[in-house]
């Protein structure tokens, strides 16, 4: 299993950053443009255990998978969302988003991803995997949230 954790400071209020992770599909698409659909399949009162069917476009191919909410916390100064899904029956992936309020206009965002291969031959791909995608995602969230703040 591979695991990457990166942190970035965003010059935007915590609620503004949170809405891209815990909001509408339109908000989510601003930071994850490949997501074309995010439909609720099972919604629980406590959020944990909720399942969404997500469609993700990669080039001309569209993948569909169910994302389960594994952890959820929406406090004033600290917000957490952890989701898990299986991609193409090859990888078990978790994404953990942690937001901490630094002050009214600054948020710390920590993103942790784990990737566990489910087939022996895909383990080789992980040997060459880097944190590039994680770093790019953090930068995209920062840029989108800060651009909205400056409007």
């Amino acid at each position: 299993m591979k695991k990457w954790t990166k942190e970035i400071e965003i010059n935007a209020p915590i609620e503004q950053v949170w809405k891209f992770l815990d909001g509408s599909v339109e908000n989510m698409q601003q930071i994850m443009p490949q997501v074309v659909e995010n439909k609720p399949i099972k919604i629980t009162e406590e959020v944990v255990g909720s399942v969404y069917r997500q469609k993700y476009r990669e080039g001309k191919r569209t993948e569909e998978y169910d994302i389960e909410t594994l952890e959820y916390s929406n406090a004033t100064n600290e917000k957490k969302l952890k989701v898990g899904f299986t991609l193409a029956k090859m990888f078990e992936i978790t994404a953990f988003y942690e937001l901490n309020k630094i002050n009214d206009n600054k948020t710390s965002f920590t993103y942790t991803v784990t990737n566990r291969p489910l087939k022996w031959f895909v383990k080789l791909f992980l040997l060459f995997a880097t944190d590039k995608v994680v770093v790019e995602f953090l930068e995209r969230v920062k840029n989108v949230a800060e651009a909205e703040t400056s409007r």
Side-chain angles (χ1 to χ4, degrees):
M1 182 173 81
K2 278 269 194 162
K3 181 177 181 175
W4 298 273
T5 299
K6 294 288 176 189
E7 186 178 347
I8 197 167
E9 272 190 18
I10 300 174
N11 294 308
I14 192 169
E15 291 297 335
Q16 191 166 312
V17 180
W18 183 239
K19 78 175 189 181
F20 296 111
L21 301 167
D22 190 42
S24 66
V25 176
E26 293 76 27
N27 284 340
M28 185 187 291
Q29 286 173 328
Q30 290 185 57
I31 61 167
M32 300 177 209
Q34 301 92 335
V35 173
V36 290
E37 195 175 275
N38 193 49
K39 281 197 317 207
I41 300 297
K42 176 182 144 196
I43 301 297
T44 65
E45 220 173 281
E46 58 281 342
V47 184
V48 172
S50 294
V51 178
Y52 292 83
R53 173 124 337 121
Q54 197 169 86
K55 286 187 181 174
Y56 182 92
R57 184 169 295 124
E58 191 69 55
K60 291 182 179 180
R61 210 174 72 234
T62 301
E63 290 283 340
E64 187 176 275
Y65 43 84
D66 290 348
I67 295 186
E68 182 178 359
T69 304
L70 305 172
E71 189 175 326
Y72 184 87
S73 166
N74 187 359
T76 306
N77 296 326
E78 180 185 76
K79 299 176 184 305
K80 294 179 182 179
L81 174 63
K82 183 176 187 179
V83 296
F85 60 98
T86 300
L87 184 60
K89 297 182 181 126
M90 300 260 206
F91 298 100
E92 197 172 85
I93 297 170
T94 65
F96 187 34
Y97 312 101
E98 293 176 273
L99 299 178
N100 286 290
K101 180 177 178 176
I102 296 171
N103 60 39
D104 287 347
N105 298 306
K106 194 174 279 203
T107 304
S108 168
F109 176 29
T110 305
Y111 179 46
T112 302
V113 179
T114 63
N115 190 330
R116 191 170 71 85
L118 298 175
K119 306 225 186 299
W120 66 269
F121 57 90
V122 293
K123 287 181 182 178
L124 297 172
F125 293 112
L126 280 187
L127 292 176
F128 303 103
T130 67
D131 64 359
K132 181 178 181 245
V133 173
V134 175
V135 171
E136 287 174 356
F137 178 69
L138 284 175
E139 290 292 333
R140 191 173 323 113
V141 173
K142 178 179 173 69
N143 292 338
V144 168
E146 289 181 355
E148 192 167 282
T149 301
S150 63
R151 277 190 218 148

